[in-house]
């Protein structure tokens, strides 16, 4: 039996009002296996800013409770010493919109987030990422964007930023992405943006031998 897999998931959007796009055929067994990851991705994305509606805030609390049940240890992994972070960043803290710091770069979170790379790779190439492929994952937080700056040269090289759109409904402000395939290579590079919460630089290396040595510390095995 074939069903439709949505990446990003509908739960990332308030009221599950998701525009069309980035939809893939999937067997029901595979779709069921990714639902736990979809909840976690929705939680990461909706961290900031808070929903302006009571309905949206209740949805988010429900997602957090589901993540707590389905991903033991993930919420604990995300906890971070606020005072230690403030000491590290010093006066730059005054430029941030909030001091509610969370760690979305731990091993549990990184493994979950790497699923996005396989979907973006397939959307670009129509090729399934093979088992054993290497997936590069690097996080850019809103601190990175505001204080440190984003890798502008790389973003320019990835081309036009894309959104999901269906009539007047679109994913702008919630989710957008950029993708590019390296010339003559199976490797693909992507940047995915999730609200004002964080962005991901993702690389899919179907051949592990293509991974640059300096990237090995950011690799997840598919």
């Amino acid at each position: 039996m074939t069903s439709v897999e949505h990446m990003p998931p509908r739960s990332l959007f308030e009221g599950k009002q998701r525009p069309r796009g980035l939809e893939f055929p999937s067997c029901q067994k595979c779709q069921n296996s990714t639902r736990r990851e979809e909840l976690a991705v929705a939680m990461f994305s909706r961290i900031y800013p808070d929903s302006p509606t009571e309905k949206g805030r209740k949805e988010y609390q429900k997602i957090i409770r589901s993540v707590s049940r389905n991903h033991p240890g993930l919420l604990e992994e995300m906890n971070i010493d606020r005072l230690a972070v403030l000491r590290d960043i010093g006066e730059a803290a005054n430029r941030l919109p909030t001091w509610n710091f969370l760690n979305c770069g731990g091993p549990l979170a990184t493994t979950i987030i790497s699923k996005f790379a396989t979907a973006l790779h397939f959307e670009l190439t129509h090729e399934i990422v093979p088992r054993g492929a290497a997936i590069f994952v690097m996080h850019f937080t809103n601190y990175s964007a505001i204080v440190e700056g984003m890798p502008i040269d790389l973003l320019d090289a990835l081309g036009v930023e894309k959104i999901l759109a269906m009539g007047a409904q679109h994913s702008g402000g919630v989710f957008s992405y950029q993708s590019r395939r390296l010339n003559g290579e199976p490797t693909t590079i992507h940047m995915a943006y999730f609200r004002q919460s964080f962005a991901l630089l993702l690389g899919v290396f179907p051949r592990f031998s293509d991974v640059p040595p300096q990237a090995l510390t950011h690799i997840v095995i598919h």
Side-chain angles (χ1 to χ4, degrees):
M1 179 177 178
T2 300
S3 57
V4 177
E5 182 77 18
H6 299 84
M7 186 61 79
R10 291 187 300 155
S11 53
L12 195 135
F13 298 82
E14 191 165 317
K16 296 186 177 180
Q17 296 300 304
R18 181 192 187 278
R20 289 179 181 172
L22 288 179
E23 298 164 355
F24 310 97
S26 171
C27 70
Q28 192 62 50
K29 180 180 178 181
C30 291
Q31 187 178 58
N32 291 341
S33 71
T34 62
R35 284 178 177 167
R36 294 170 63 251
E37 283 77 13
E38 290 177 354
L39 282 171
V41 170
M43 181 188 72
F44 296 144
S45 173
R46 295 171 73 158
I47 287 172
Y48 187 82
D50 292 336
S51 171
T53 69
E54 181 66 20
K55 178 182 177 181
R57 291 189 288 272
K58 287 182 177 179
E59 278 183 4
Y60 186 53
Q61 291 304 315
K62 183 178 179 181
I63 289 172
I64 291 176
R65 291 193 294 270
S66 295
V67 169
S68 179
R69 291 193 303 271
N70 288 284
H71 294 278
L74 178 58
L75 296 182
E76 290 77 11
E77 178 184 271
M78 294 173 66
N79 286 331
I80 193 168
D81 187 337
R82 181 187 299 183
L83 290 178
V85 174
L86 289 172
R87 284 195 297 268
D88 287 342
I89 63 180
E91 292 183 1
N94 296 323
R95 298 164 57 187
L96 301 177
T98 176
W99 289 355
N100 295 323
F101 304 115
L102 291 171
N103 173 27
C104 293
L108 294 176
T110 299
T111 299
I112 291 167
I113 287 170
S114 69
K115 306 293 184 182
F116 263 91
T118 61
L120 293 173
H121 180 89
F122 183 84
E123 192 268 342
L124 181 65
T125 66
H126 303 291
E127 298 170 1
I128 296 174
V129 178
R131 288 294 178 186
I135 299 178
F136 174 91
V137 182
M138 178 177 285
H139 306 77
F140 293 90
T141 63
N142 35 26
Y143 171 81
S144 304
I146 295 169
V147 178
E148 297 177 340
M150 300 290 282
I152 300 301
D153 291 345
L154 174 60
L155 302 186
D156 289 343
L158 288 177
V160 177
E161 187 174 342
K162 303 175 184 178
I163 60 173
L164 311 184
M166 184 175 61
Q169 186 185 12
H170 61 81
S171 67
V174 177
F175 174 77
S176 61
Y177 66 103
Q178 297 169 270
S179 294
R180 181 175 179 179
R181 186 169 192 163
L182 298 188
N183 293 336
E185 299 292 338
T187 301
T188 58
I189 307 296
H190 316 270
M191 183 69 83
Y193 307 89
F194 301 83
R195 284 186 171 84
Q196 298 176 45
S197 295
F198 66 102
L200 296 173
L201 176 60
L202 303 166
V204 178
F205 297 87
R207 300 184 307 223
F208 192 94
S209 58
D210 290 337
V211 179
Q214 64 270 27
L216 288 173
T217 55
H218 294 275
I219 289 297
V220 175
I221 303 301
H222 178 57

